[in-house]
Amino acid sequence: AFFWLVSLLLSSLIWFIAVKASDPQDELLQKGLLIFGVMFSVLLQEAFRFLYYKLLRKAIEGLVALSEDGCSPISIQQMAYVAGVGFGLMSGAFSMINLLADALGPGTVGIHGDSQLYFLTSAFMTMVLIFLHTFWGILFFHGCEHRRWWEIAAVVVMHLAVSGSTFCNPLYVGSLVPSYLLMAAAAAWAYSLSGGSTQNLRRFLLCKF
């Protein structure tokens, strides 16, 4: 969560400087800066995810050196899951804070003919991002651990695609549907890399433990 906060702080600082140094009356330029800020923030988040992986790898080496049996008490898969959850929960917390701040007013959503589903769709988007960050953490760490750089690249591309789809709003179908399809694909992929199988899934669904 701390690493995600640092990445957000740096990307926000750069976007703030860019906006203040540009012409606020130029709408096309401001939109371009917004797109740049979002894409840069995504890349910075993934860069900090990589830095966090390197830090955890050093921590595991230290735990192995101190343990009596030469094994780490925590696996890299567990750390990947926890790191993904931390990124996702902090991302969701900030999204909800912004929504609650907008909900305080002034004004009423949809009063000028806009969609009245802003808060509902934003909640669904926050939820999918929390899950995606969890799955992305597993995929990203697996790619780093086994030097499969195409898995890391796939995570970055998916993150850029989901963030870029939000520019389709207020056409919420254009952002929610692709995001949930990517979430399903990322979930299946992460489940497979974590050692899951169709047999285990069937046993879970049938409550056969």
Side-chain angles (χ1 to χ4, degrees):
F2 173 76
F3 271 67
W4 188 90
L5 282 173
V6 174
S7 69
L8 179 67
L9 175 63
L10 292 178
S11 58
S12 300
L13 180 62
I14 293 174
W15 178 77
F16 179 78
I17 294 173
V19 169
K20 290 299 181 180
S22 61
D23 182 10
Q25 303 300 325
D26 191 340
E27 295 184 1
L28 186 61
L29 176 61
Q30 294 302 317
K31 184 177 181 179
L33 287 176
L34 179 61
I35 295 174
F36 163 76
V38 170
M39 299 297 108
F40 182 78
S41 177
V42 168
L43 296 176
L44 201 58
Q45 287 177 47
E46 298 305 327
F48 270 81
R49 199 193 301 270
F50 178 74
L51 290 176
Y52 189 53
Y53 163 78
K54 299 296 288 185
L55 179 65
L56 289 179
R57 209 70 191 85
K58 291 292 184 181
I60 288 178
E61 293 175 3
L63 290 174
V64 170
L66 293 174
S67 64
E68 296 180 355
D69 56 357
C71 297
S72 172
I74 305 175
S75 68
I76 194 66
Q77 285 186 344
Q78 291 173 319
M79 288 190 173
Y81 175 76
V82 173
V85 170
F87 267 58
L89 289 179
M90 188 54 63
S91 173
F94 262 78
S95 297
M96 292 307 298
I97 288 173
N98 291 331
L99 287 175
L100 292 175
D102 289 339
L104 292 176
T108 303
V109 176
I111 195 172
H112 293 299
D114 297 325
S115 174
Q116 298 183 5
L117 302 177
Y118 171 70
F119 292 111
L120 181 63
T121 53
S122 296
F124 277 103
M125 196 67 191
T126 300
M127 180 178 68
V128 75
L129 280 174
I130 293 174
F131 281 116
L132 278 171
H133 271 293
T134 304
F135 303 141
W136 288 338
I138 297 173
L139 299 176
F140 195 96
F141 276 46
H142 186 272
C144 292
E145 191 72 8
H146 296 85
R147 297 187 180 278
R148 296 181 179 178
W149 306 117
W150 59 272
E151 290 182 350
I152 299 174
V155 171
V156 176
V157 170
M158 282 191 288
H159 199 168
L160 288 171
V162 171
S163 298
S165 68
T166 58
F167 291 109
C168 296
N169 297 337
L171 183 61
Y172 297 115
V173 176
S175 60
L176 286 176
V177 173
S179 297
Y180 273 84
L181 291 176
L182 280 176
M183 185 193 70
W189 192 1
Y191 178 74
S192 176
L193 292 181
S194 300
S197 63
T198 54
Q199 182 180 2
N200 292 338
L201 182 61
R202 190 182 304 113
R203 289 170 61 87
F204 169 74
L205 294 175
L206 296 177
C207 299
K208 294 181 179 180
F209 301 104

